[in-house]
Amino acid sequence: MQQEIRFATFNVCNLAPAGAKLYDNLEPLSPAQYEAKAEWTARQIDLLDADVIGFQEIFSQAALRDVLSRTRRYRDAVQAGYDAADAAGRMLPTVALVSRLPLAGPGVAFANFPAGVLLPADGHDADDSASRFARAPLHVQVVLPGGQLTDVVVLHLKSRRPDYRHGDGSDALAYALANLRSLQRRGAEAVALRVLVSELGLSGRPRIVLGDFNDIANAVTTAIVMGAGAPCEAQGDAPDMRARLYDANAIQLRQDAARHADYTNIHDSAYMTIDHILVSEHFHPASPRAIGAVLDVNYLNDHLLLGLPHASDHGQVLMRVKLLGNIR
């Protein structure tokens, strides 16, 4: 039986066919630009060599399939995902999952927030639903070696880009309010995900949540998804580990205090880690119900300093898990 399993998250940065118009301020890729991007993305996927990869900013599932056909290691992998378009028919960004492990069924996209979760009135346009994800997270059941079903959720939360409204000015107040709207959207999505992940946890199956959180690990929105500090953790004098999720980077066995290269994004000269992999107690070495433990978490980010036009603007996160009984 396979003793080590690998999970990764990869924001590919606007993967779409050549000629597709995505945003008003972004020119479509030329055929040559698409070729360069597809080839670079395929090489990066092979470099990750993960059993399961969650993707963000997939504008076309067909384009992702084309990229996989260019890889050496993923031509026979299973792909789960969905396409989306706006009212005018323009492609919208989505998430996807690619697995070399078998899946228990097709992926399910959660378009709507759970009941009781709603954006504040100022956090959305009049024509924008206050109870829907901007980019629906994808839930897939992966069959681990040995047959254990594991719930994997791929997400892409609202970016930090200021959410201006028509007629907004350019002064400090308008800028601050536009940032607040983005935070409100990201916060509401984090709450909705927390509810969905908690409901999945009722099954007792292992859970892995990965993707672009657009915030650092100790941000309030990320902590909401993890359920950190929730009252349901406490059961008598001992903490109950079943309810919450854990940052894989924080619980990895091979901690290296001297390593400070764990960033996935550079913005305004600031190095940030905004792409994360969260795991349930089943991969925490301190849990009595652990089926494995996170060996280490690695970041593929050298390309961020090179400024390659065809490369992603995010680093990739790779988690290695050693199954129980083989932890070193």
Side-chain angles (χ1 to χ4, degrees):
M1 187 179 75
Q2 184 178 347
Q3 304 302 325
E4 180 185 300
I5 51 177
R6 296 181 170 200
F7 292 83
T9 182
F10 188 170
N11 183 323
V12 297
C13 186
N14 300 335
L15 180 62
K21 184 67 174 177
L22 306 181
Y23 301 110
D24 292 336
N25 62 346
L26 183 67
E27 289 298 317
L29 293 177
S30 69
Q33 289 172 326
Y34 172 79
E35 282 296 313
K37 183 172 186 63
E39 288 293 329
W40 180 88
T41 306
R43 290 195 302 271
Q44 204 73 359
I45 291 173
D46 275 333
L47 186 60
L48 282 168
D49 195 18
D51 298 292
V52 178
I53 307 177
F55 292 91
Q56 301 84 43
E57 296 197 21
I58 302 296
F59 282 81
S60 165
Q61 296 294 323
L64 179 56
R65 284 192 292 272
D66 175 57
V67 168
L68 295 177
S69 73
R70 300 165 186 256
T71 66
R72 292 181 293 107
R73 305 176 187 273
Y74 294 87
R75 294 177 183 177
D76 298 322
V78 183
Q79 178 179 337
Y82 61 95
D83 286 322
D86 62 16
R90 182 176 291 187
M91 294 176 174
L92 293 174
T94 66
V95 301
L97 179 140
V98 170
S99 178
R100 297 186 303 201
L101 299 176
L103 306 184
V108 177
F110 291 107
N112 298 315
F113 289 169
V117 182
L118 196 68
L119 262 174
D122 190 46
H124 60 95
D125 286 320
D127 59 350
D128 179 33
S129 172
S131 58
R132 293 174 61 88
F133 287 97
R135 293 168 288 235
L138 181 70
H139 168 228
V140 183
Q141 284 192 334
V142 176
V143 183
L144 299 187
Q148 173 68 62
L149 287 182
T150 297
D151 293 301
V152 179
V153 177
V154 185
L155 62 84
H156 187 182
L157 297 185
K158 174 67 177 73
S159 73
R160 295 188 177 195
R161 185 178 297 109
D163 184 5
Y164 284 102
R165 293 291 185 261
H166 297 298
D168 280 355
S170 58
D171 58 7
L173 176 59
Y175 177 72
L177 289 175
N179 278 283
L180 176 60
R181 293 188 194 103
S182 291
L183 177 60
Q184 288 174 327
R185 162 65 71 177
R186 191 164 63 255
E189 291 183 341
V191 171
L193 273 163
R194 179 66 225 161
V195 175
L196 291 172
V197 171
S198 295
E199 291 175 349
L200 290 175
L202 296 176
S203 69
R205 293 187 297 265
R207 291 164 293 161
I208 297 176
V209 178
L210 48 81
D212 180 357
F213 287 69
N214 268 307
D215 229 329
I216 59 176
N218 60 355
V220 171
T221 52
T222 313
I224 287 173
V225 178
M226 288 192 287
C232 57
E233 277 189 59
Q235 298 286 337
D237 295 328
D240 185 354
M241 302 178 69
R242 283 172 285 195
R244 64 162 297 178
L245 299 172
Y246 300 87
D247 176 15
N249 185 55
I251 64 170
Q252 61 181 313
L253 295 178
R254 296 176 181 173
Q255 294 285 351
D256 183 359
R259 186 176 68 183
H260 299 285
D262 55 342
Y263 61 89
T264 66
N265 187 253
I266 304 174
H267 181 69
D268 289 340
S269 299
Y271 292 70
M272 299 182 295
T273 303
I274 60 176
D275 303 84
H276 309 288
I277 300 178
L278 310 181
V279 299
S280 62
E281 61 159 347
H282 303 83
F283 305 103
H284 196 306
S287 171
R289 289 169 288 276
I291 65 170
V294 178
L295 272 180
D296 52 35
V297 178
N298 297 283
Y299 299 81
L300 282 65
N301 52 24
D302 288 346
H303 60 278
L304 296 179
L305 299 175
L306 298 177
L308 304 174
H310 49 271
S312 174
D313 58 351
H314 282 245
Q316 293 79 58
V317 185
L318 174 65
M319 174 184 74
R320 296 196 307 141
V321 172
K322 204 75 170 179
L323 296 180
L324 193 64
N326 295 278
I327 301 172
R328 297 289 185 267

